[in-house]
Amino acid sequence: MILEVKNLCVDAFTHSRRRFPLVQGVSFSLKENHCIGILGESGSGKSLTCKAILGLLGEDFEVRGEVRFKGRNLLELPREERERIRQRELCMVIQSPMTAFNPLFSMKNQMLETLMLALSLETKKATKLILEAFEKVNLREGEEILEKYPHQLSGGMLQRIMIALCIALSPAVIIADEPTTAIDVANQVEVLKEFRRIRELFGTSMIFISHDLSVLSQIADELLVMCQGEVIERGTPKEIIVNPTHKTSQELIGRRLQLIKIFQECLGERPCF
């Protein structure tokens, strides 16, 4: 296993140091070239779980349990070592591409700085690496893109730029936190296609977070359903779609099927279920 999470718990503290449990007893294992999807409503603990894995939570949170990456418990490593691993081997694609980059700097400035620091590259080599990554996610005219500022690019393009940056870093694991939420349907299809291509080309392992079952069913090998900070159900996408056992899973699937039915009726089609 490349990543093993055992009994992960996250508590938050108020200013008076009162403890509030947010995530309780989350466990899963991620194999090489495997994708785990985490499904749940807003506030279910999906993103919090992944931020705890990466060590991105502040001092007002306490994280317990084990997060073993290539056999090493990340929660026990010094901060500098965790940052090094996060820069090179554990990458995160966040859900809001329009706010992922600093609006005051060009894409070239931001992307080259990241690659030069993480990989200890010179400017010329870092530029070549990111242009090659752009090609792999079908971003043409890469040199022109690098000269632009974030506000000059679409949400779908910015999302693919984040994916390209992950490719350039060649991480062992990519954590994608609702990467299709803030973009239109056409770009959602393209972004999912790029994630599937990454797996095919590089065998990268992934954790894919979403509240959209239809998105996860296209990319995940295994699903975890979360509710109120706990994993309430797990299985393959097919198993959970066909035979959900928990009430929350049933509600999530029921809503999706109802939306499909309404859409088909608007198109004048016969419902498929």
Side-chain angles (χ1 to χ4, degrees):
M1 296 295 175
I2 194 166
L3 181 69
E4 292 182 271
V5 177
K6 299 180 180 179
N7 197 32
L8 183 70
C9 300
V10 179
D11 295 337
F13 292 93
T14 64
H15 292 298
S16 61
R17 303 306 294 172
R18 185 179 177 186
R19 181 191 297 265
F20 287 92
L22 300 177
V23 172
Q24 295 296 307
V26 172
S27 299
F28 61 85
S29 298
L30 181 65
K31 299 183 291 187
E32 292 185 10
N33 194 20
H34 193 75
C35 179
I36 288 180
I38 304 181
L39 174 70
E41 297 178 307
S42 297
S44 61
K46 308 184 301 297
S47 297
L48 201 62
T49 296
C50 290
K51 287 179 180 178
I53 290 170
L54 290 169
L56 295 176
L57 297 177
E59 296 179 356
D60 292 331
F61 297 89
E62 179 183 79
V63 180
R64 306 187 311 278
E66 292 185 33
V67 178
R68 294 199 169 273
F69 176 68
K70 296 183 177 180
R72 305 171 71 191
N73 187 0
L74 298 181
L75 301 185
E76 296 178 349
L77 295 180
R79 179 180 175 182
E80 294 77 12
E81 181 67 9
R82 292 187 71 177
E83 287 180 353
R84 188 196 67 79
I85 292 173
R86 193 164 61 235
Q87 286 178 344
R88 288 293 312 272
E89 301 190 83
L90 293 171
C91 288
M92 188 170 189
V93 178
I94 65 174
Q95 63 178 287
S96 181
M98 303 302 290
T99 59
F101 298 97
N102 191 324
L104 301 179
F105 297 96
S106 69
M107 301 307 298
K108 183 176 183 178
N109 182 292
Q110 297 180 68
M111 300 196 78
L112 294 191
E113 180 183 37
T114 299
L115 292 177
M116 292 167 70
L117 286 174
L119 304 179
S120 300
L121 296 176
E122 297 177 351
T123 303
K124 188 175 181 179
K125 290 184 178 179
T127 303
K128 181 182 178 182
L129 187 61
I130 195 59
L131 290 175
E132 290 174 350
F134 279 174
E135 288 290 328
K136 290 171 184 174
V137 295
N138 295 316
L139 285 173
R140 310 302 178 192
E141 301 175 343
E143 292 183 0
E144 291 185 17
I145 291 173
L146 288 178
E147 297 302 324
K148 293 184 180 295
Y149 286 77
H151 72 274
Q152 296 175 303
L153 300 167
S154 69
M157 188 171 287
L158 289 170
Q159 196 67 277
R160 284 207 261 177
I161 288 172
M162 279 196 284
I163 296 171
L165 185 57
C166 284
I167 290 174
L169 292 168
S170 299
V173 177
I174 293 176
I175 298 177
D177 186 2
E178 306 231 29
T180 60
T181 298
I183 55 179
D184 58 67
V185 175
N187 278 309
Q188 284 183 16
V189 173
E190 292 301 316
V191 167
L192 283 173
K193 188 185 297 182
E194 300 308 333
F195 276 110
R196 288 195 293 267
R197 287 185 72 246
I198 290 173
R199 290 188 63 187
E200 292 170 3
L201 290 172
F202 308 108
T204 307
S205 303
M206 295 183 184
I207 299 174
F208 206 100
I209 303 170
S210 182
H211 63 273
D212 191 334
L213 181 60
S214 64
V215 168
L216 292 177
S217 65
Q218 297 179 58
I219 194 166
D221 301 301
E222 178 184 358
L223 280 185
L224 306 180
V225 183
M226 290 192 69
C227 179
Q228 297 182 354
E230 298 182 3
V231 175
I232 57 171
E233 191 162 1
R234 66 181 72 213
T236 65
K238 183 177 180 180
E239 288 170 344
I240 291 178
I241 291 171
V242 173
N243 187 33
T245 59
H246 195 278
K247 181 181 177 182
T248 298
S249 304
Q250 294 168 354
E251 290 176 351
L252 288 169
I253 293 168
R255 290 176 201 161
R256 169 56 57 178
L257 293 177
Q258 188 62 31
L259 285 172
I260 293 172
K261 183 178 179 180
I262 292 170
F263 181 71
Q264 289 174 327
E265 289 174 348
C266 290
L267 294 177
E269 297 179 1
R270 186 176 180 179
C272 61
F273 57 92

